[in-house]
Amino acid sequence: MLRLPHRNRDLIVLSAPLAWTSLRSPTVRAVVALSLTQLIGWGATFYLPAVTGPAMAGELGMTLPMIMAGPTVMLIVMAMVSWPLSTLFERHGARPIMVWGSSLGAAGLLVMGLADGPVSYVLSWIILGIAGASMLTTPTQIAVTEIAGEKARQALGGLILAGGLTSTIVWPVTGLLQARWGWRTTTLTYAALMLLVCMPLHWAALARRPRETFSAKAVAEPIAIDRRRFALLAMSFAANGFVTWGFALTIIILFEAAGLDHAKALATAAFIGLAQWAGRVVDFLGGQRWSGFVTGLAASALFPASFIVLLLTSNPTGAVFFAALYGLASGVTAVTRATLPLQIFPASAYARASAQLAVPLYLAFATAPPIFTAILTSAGPHAALWLALVISIFAFCALLSLSLLHRQMNQRSQQN
């Protein structure tokens, strides 16, 4: 019989209770549960047509661009619904709204799986937009802060780190399901997962009521949201979001314009995903040591630097260097979007501020791909790069202005 060395047996014996102890933490349970529900939620909605779109178009009698417009409809509806939901999140907490959003998401996927034409198809995305505003990303971040309290930044970093794997996991799984059962059964399977996995996890793992945000010191903080800081943060986030989502569908074209053949362009685009993951890891590991403004400004400065590299070079080395800078900036910015509001706004107003910040962000996400595609086809790749450079510089300036304003306001409050 195989016997492990004594030291290894001790490690195994010790690791089991340690793992069990960590899972008994409400924050850890919530982060694990929400990582799974976000994987299912985004994979079953926004990422779905990337795999099933051609089959949907053929069976529903729609063009592929019409099918791909579904996620845009979803994002626009999410933007419209996020502001009204902000008060509900603040009053009732994330748990009941996310439970309701899960059931609504299942209903939207049911409508899509049974769709017989454009009307029912678009209706399904409208339903999914309302569901997404109730259970995807922003509600998840609110739920984590309600449970994690003072450790919210680290918990949010872990959640966003896991979210970076969504497309990597979901697209192959969706492809296998569609190859075996077709797109309708695949969609209905995701509807069942939304109802039988996401909804129970939201019910069981989230805080039953918002904790006294985040400790006794929150009581002394004003509930009002400073509109100048809110506007600067919204402009910076929306501008960078417009650039990253605008390039999401056009980056391969830009690489080919920089002199890469199609195979190298695909490989370099894939490298961006690795750099994004690395950026999230860097922020997750160093977030406790650095201010959110430090990491946010560093990432925001890398965006224009990356575009300058691609404008000045036309070789594979320059494209890879661009991909590294751009990917790192995207990864860190994804974490900053969730954590920086914790540093700027009163803890008791985080839910409302986050939900309201989602409005310009989702609008930027929705409008960027068609605008960048139109510029690429009409004015060429360099015009799109120059636009991205200008917008990214604006985003950096907005965030820098916010940092200076925030420091000034803190100094005044300390003097008073």
Side-chain angles (χ1 to χ4, degrees), residues 225-241 293 297 300 336-337 340-341 344-345 357 360-361 391-409:
I225 297 173
D226 181 75
R227 287 299 153 187
R228 289 181 298 170
R229 286 185 287 184
F230 179 90
L232 287 169
L233 188 63
M235 287 189 291
S236 180
F237 283 178
N240 275 334
F293 280 112
L297 285 169
S300 194
T336 303
R337 288 193 194 115
L340 195 54
I344 296 173
F345 304 116
L357 281 168
L361 196 59
I391 293 176
S392 63
I393 291 173
F394 169 80
F396 174 80
C397 291
L399 190 59
L400 180 61
S401 299
L402 173 62
S403 175
L404 297 174
L405 176 62
H406 184 69
R407 184 182 302 173
Q408 279 182 351
M409 296 183 71

Side-chain angles (χ1 to χ4, degrees), residues 90 149-150 211-226 229 341-352 406 410 413:
E90 191 171 46
E150 298 286 357
R211 62 191 287 160
E212 297 300 329
T213 2
F214 302 154
S215 69
K217 74 174 186 179
V219 177
E221 293 177 335
I223 298 178
I225 297 173
D226 181 75
R229 286 185 287 184
L342 285 170
Q343 189 171 336
I344 296 173
F345 304 116
S348 54
Y350 176 82
R352 180 159 38 99
H406 184 69
N410 281 347
S413 64

Side-chain angles (χ1 to χ4, degrees), residues 143-168:
V144 167
T145 60
E146 289 174 355
I147 286 184
E150 298 286 357
K151 297 181 179 179
R153 182 175 179 182
Q154 186 177 9
L156 286 169
L159 178 68
I160 295 168
L161 192 62
L165 297 173
T166 299
S167 60
T168 305

Side-chain angles (χ1 to χ4, degrees), residues 236-250:
S236 180
F237 283 178
N240 275 334
F242 183 84
V243 170
T244 55
W245 282 60
F247 277 159
L249 302 179
T250 58

Side-chain angles (χ1 to χ4, degrees), residues 24 39 63 66 102 109 121 145-146 148 154 177 188 195 227 230 244 257 283 293 296 330 336 342 367 382 396:
R24 291 178 63 184
L39 179 74
T63 64
M66 289 176 63
S102 307
L109 289 170
Y121 179 76
T145 60
E146 289 174 355
Q154 186 177 9
L177 292 174
L188 294 176
L195 188 65
R227 287 299 153 187
F230 179 90
T244 55
D283 192 279
F293 280 112
S330 300
T336 303
L342 285 170
T367 56
H382 274 74
F396 174 80

